[in-house]
Amino acid sequence: GLLFKELVPDAEVYSFYIDLRTVGKNYEDFLRRAQEEAGIQFIRGKVSKIYEEDGVVKILAVDTLLNRRIEVEVDMAVLALPMVPADGIEELASKMRIQIDNNGFLQELHPKLHPVESATPGIFLAGAAQSPKDIQDTVAQASAAASKALEILSQDKISHTPIVATVNRDLCSGCRLCLSACPYGAIEMVDGRAEINEIICEGCGACVSTCPSRAISLRNFTYEQLDAMIEAVAGGI
Ligand code: SF4
Ligand code: SF4
């Protein structure tokens, strides 16, 4: 509305809303500017119909503050559509081994503690790919993501978890079940047996519980070690 008023100062602009929330710094000023300086008319009420009559676009609505029915003739009706994830985001997420949330946006590792990290180390999120957001939040998140990336790039050496999965080739039957279980794409088949890339493996253990042949174990958490731990705990009860 504000942009349109800048281009067409004489235009009459109506903004129909159900609920107005100006969360965020200076948003209240932004609303005042739209209302008082630009003269945009904010009408609290639901638009029930947009239709064309004799070549004129008409909007039928109810002003719920004044409790009256209103009808305005306009040159153009603009709908406020919901923001949706970009086309191809699923393909991107699958290539980068990033999770997708219930609404189809990229999933951060933790909404409060790790808001710019993805589940894949070294891949950071920023902007509307992660969730709908305005320019202020996008810039703040992009700065945080860049700082996180610099943190890695400024190191001479990168440490990695020592707890990674290993395959006992003698036990592996080559069923390939572990390949689809690994969320990081760390497993490949070599000569008919599974092989794990220790640099990519994050030690999540998903493949261990998937393998029907008990061919995979986590370093320092082998089946024998786990059995011994359980026995030690259970034996003391
Ligand atoms: S432990 Fe997790 S990350 Fe590592 S290979 Fe198994 S499933 Fe993949
Ligand atoms: S699930 Fe187990 S048996 Fe099947 S390919 Fe993977 S390591 Fe081998």
Side-chain angles (χ1 to χ4, degrees):
L2 267 177
L3 286 176
F4 188 66
K5 284 288 280 184
E6 273 174 27
L7 295 171
V8 189
D10 294 338
E12 282 181 37
V13 178
Y14 300 89
S15 179
F16 292 90
Y17 69 94
I18 296 174
D19 197 10
L20 258 187
R21 287 171 197 225
T22 51
V23 285
K25 195 174 179 181
N26 298 334
Y27 275 29
E28 193 68 31
D29 294 341
F30 181 75
L31 176 65
R32 282 217 187 93
R33 197 149 57 88
Q35 285 174 318
E36 293 165 15
E37 288 177 28
I40 295 173
Q41 297 186 49
F42 285 80
I43 299 169
R44 181 174 177 271
K46 216 171 185 175
V47 171
S48 56
K49 196 174 174 188
I50 300 176
Y51 61 102
E52 196 175 338
E53 197 174 75
D54 301 328
V56 179
V57 178
K58 293 185 176 179
I59 293 178
L60 192 63
V62 175
D63 186 327
T64 50
L65 288 180
L66 298 177
N67 200 19
R68 65 171 190 190
R69 187 171 169 270
I70 49 174
E71 190 179 57
V72 284
E73 291 182 1
V74 295
D75 296 311
M76 181 170 54
V78 180
L79 304 180
L81 297 173
M83 202 181 245
V84 295
D87 288 343
I89 199 162
E90 285 178 8
E91 195 188 339
L92 175 73
S94 145
K95 275 187 188 154
M96 308 291 269
R97 303 279 170 191
I98 307 174
Q99 314 294 317
I100 280 193
D101 67 20
N102 291 339
N103 296 310
F105 292 95
L106 300 182
Q107 174 80 56
E108 67 283 344
L109 191 56
H110 188 282
K112 289 178 184 161
L113 301 178
H114 300 285
V116 297
E117 289 97 329
S118 70
T120 303
I123 308 272
F124 304 103
L125 312 178
Q130 187 236 0
S131 70
K133 57 176 66 73
D134 59 16
I135 295 171
Q136 265 174 321
D137 285 350
T138 299
V139 171
Q141 197 183 22
S143 303
S147 302
K148 288 281 177 190
L150 272 177
E151 208 177 287
I152 295 176
L153 294 172
S154 62
Q155 295 171 21
D156 292 333
K157 289 181 185 170
I158 294 174
S159 57
H160 189 265
T161 174
I163 302 168
V164 291
T166 54
V167 178
N168 182 336
R169 289 180 67 84
D170 293 337
L171 295 179
C172 176
S173 65
C175 70
R176 306 175 72 94
L177 285 175
C178 53
L179 267 72
S180 49
C182 178
Y184 299 95
I187 310 175
E188 59 180 348
M189 300 302 288
V190 177
D191 298 332
R193 301 283 183 272
E195 200 166 287
I196 292 171
N197 184 328
E198 293 191 4
I199 301 295
I200 300 175
C201 174
E202 284 298 315
C204 69
C207 56
V208 180
S209 54
T210 302
C211 178
S213 308
R214 287 190 139 204
I216 312 180
S217 59
L218 283 180
R219 190 168 289 153
N220 299 331
F221 287 95
T222 61
Y223 280 106
E224 291 74 22
Q225 286 171 312
L226 288 173
D227 288 346
M229 284 183 214
I230 293 168
E231 205 174 306
V233 173
I237 294 172

